[in-house]
Amino acid sequence: MKRRLLLLCALAAFLTSGLSAADKIKVLILDGQNNHKWKETTPVLVNALETAGCFAVTVSTTPDSKAPKEAWNDWHPKFSDYAVVVSNYNGLDWPEAVQKDFESFVKNGGGFICIHAADNSFPNWKAYNEMIGVGGWGGRNEKSGPWLYVKDGKLFRDESPGSGGGHGKQHEFIVEIRNPDHPITKGLPTKWLHAKDELYSKLRGPAEVEILSTSLSDTTGKDEPNLMVRNYGKGRVVHNTLGHADYSMLERGFYFILQRSAEWAASGAVKATAEVPKDFPTDKVVPIVLEGYAPVKKP
Ligand code: ZN
């Protein structure tokens, strides 16, 4: 009887998730420091991935910014146990050994997804900036590389002097797909309305990335990249500048693009998340995703 119950449970889990635990793509989310409310946004990232049914998600939290140096000795995630690392981290430099391991992980075929303020991190870490292509703040300026943007459908790498990183007041804005043939963007509406968020602008860096989508900035008048991809060694990187707060992430557009990004970063293909959900935002309506999501209590 017990055995039958176990079998039924296993069957139910399989039917719910579509995949057994062993077949799921292993994803590691990093957090622990951020000038954003990472304790509120990490659960949303977890939920966005887990509701796809094809990911097994683990979270690794760094010591906080005031922790003694020794605390960092205990933080050394084994990146190679995962197919994809997602960073929700913006803070102090990681220990050198962790940085080296992370570089090897991506070079050897690991996937990396950089979310919102994670592109503010590590202005002096060369490999990290090559991976994300462009970043903001942290003293970034023309020495970090050109400002990457689109204007009248043309790509610009603007080398004129100036600081890197900016945004206007938070608002809902249109995201415009620039490459509809990439596995992450295939079949999506060319223009879709994203929930209230910061629209990052003037990002600078080595800028060797492919732009998948942009949004028109009210502060620069340029179409600023918000979804970028690149190959790094044998690995694949996705840089998504969206996701300032939980309310910015809690919509189908952000959820679905994160799910596809994780699948593509893991394998270079999109299969489990190939079908575009019927409630993907149009250019007018933003459906809010709450299903299965338990918000963290706000203080
Ligand atoms: Zn922000």
Side-chain angles (χ1 to χ4, degrees):
M1 190 66 195
K2 225 176 188 180
R3 201 167 155 201
R4 187 178 290 174
L5 193 66
L6 276 174
L7 277 172
L8 277 175
C9 286
L11 182 68
F14 177 79
L15 289 174
T16 321
S17 71
L19 287 173
S20 72
D23 292 331
K24 289 187 178 181
I25 298 167
K26 291 187 177 63
V27 181
L28 178 69
I29 299 178
L30 306 177
D31 64 13
Q33 293 184 29
N34 206 316
N35 59 329
H36 292 65
K37 293 176 179 170
W38 60 270
K39 286 179 186 172
E40 289 176 13
T41 54
T42 290
V44 184
L45 294 172
V46 171
N47 183 251
L49 290 166
E50 284 185 341
T51 49
C54 57
F55 303 107
V57 186
T58 305
V59 177
S60 178
T61 301
T62 67
D64 67 44
S65 59
K66 292 185 187 86
K69 251 192 166 174
E70 309 80 67
W72 286 92
N73 297 337
D74 298 328
W75 188 77
H76 198 145
K78 202 173 168 210
F79 299 119
S80 56
D81 283 350
Y82 302 89
V84 183
V85 170
V86 177
S87 178
N88 191 26
Y89 177 91
N90 174 23
L92 292 173
D93 285 353
W94 298 340
E96 211 179 309
V98 179
Q99 293 190 5
K100 290 282 165 239
D101 272 6
F102 184 69
E103 287 177 27
S104 305
F105 164 74
V106 182
K107 272 184 192 155
N108 292 327
F112 173 46
I113 302 176
C114 173
I115 300 289
H116 194 62
D119 74 10
N120 301 188
S121 268
F122 314 132
N124 303 312
W125 180 1
K126 191 168 172 275
Y128 186 82
N129 286 280
E130 285 168 1
M131 286 180 205
I132 63 173
V134 286
W137 299 274
R140 284 175 174 87
N141 57 27
E142 67 278 5
K143 288 181 192 135
S144 316
W147 166 22
L148 186 67
Y149 63 81
V150 173
K151 179 83 183 162
D152 300 326
K154 280 187 221 136
L155 183 71
F156 288 85
R157 287 186 169 85
D158 186 340
E159 293 181 4
S160 57
S163 60
H167 59 77
K169 217 175 148 205
Q170 292 177 48
H171 61 299
E172 291 183 352
F173 51 83
I174 291 284
V175 175
E176 187 171 356
I177 305 294
R178 295 286 171 180
N179 178 358
D181 299 321
H182 193 276
I184 298 176
T185 49
K186 206 165 191 165
L188 300 186
T190 310
K191 292 183 180 182
W192 60 277
L193 185 62
H194 174 53
K196 186 178 161 186
D197 203 337
E198 282 172 349
L199 198 167
Y200 270 9
S201 58
K202 289 181 81 177
L203 300 179
R204 287 178 170 276
E208 295 301 326
V209 280
E210 188 198 341
I211 295 175
L212 297 188
S213 68
T214 59
S215 289
L216 180 62
S217 164
D218 50 346
T219 57
T220 65
K222 310 285 199 291
D223 292 302
E224 301 280 352
N226 46 32
L227 190 66
M228 295 160 267
V229 289
R230 73 158 296 174
N231 293 315
Y232 188 82
K234 291 180 195 157
R236 284 162 297 274
V237 181
V238 182
H239 177 176
N240 187 343
T241 72
L242 305 178
H244 170 74
D246 52 359
Y247 51 76
S248 316
M249 297 177 169
L250 280 164
E251 51 104 343
R252 183 64 74 196
F254 185 91
Y255 262 47
F256 187 61
I257 283 173
L258 179 66
Q259 292 164 353
R260 273 193 170 178
S261 298
E263 221 195 327
W264 180 79
S267 66
V270 162
K271 289 177 187 157
T273 58
E275 196 181 326
V276 179
K278 288 191 177 58
D279 59 352
F280 193 91
T282 65
D283 59 353
K284 289 180 187 69
V285 185
V286 186
I288 300 297
V289 175
L290 286 167
E291 185 193 342
Y293 172 69
V296 184
K297 259 195 180 165
K298 295 185 185 184

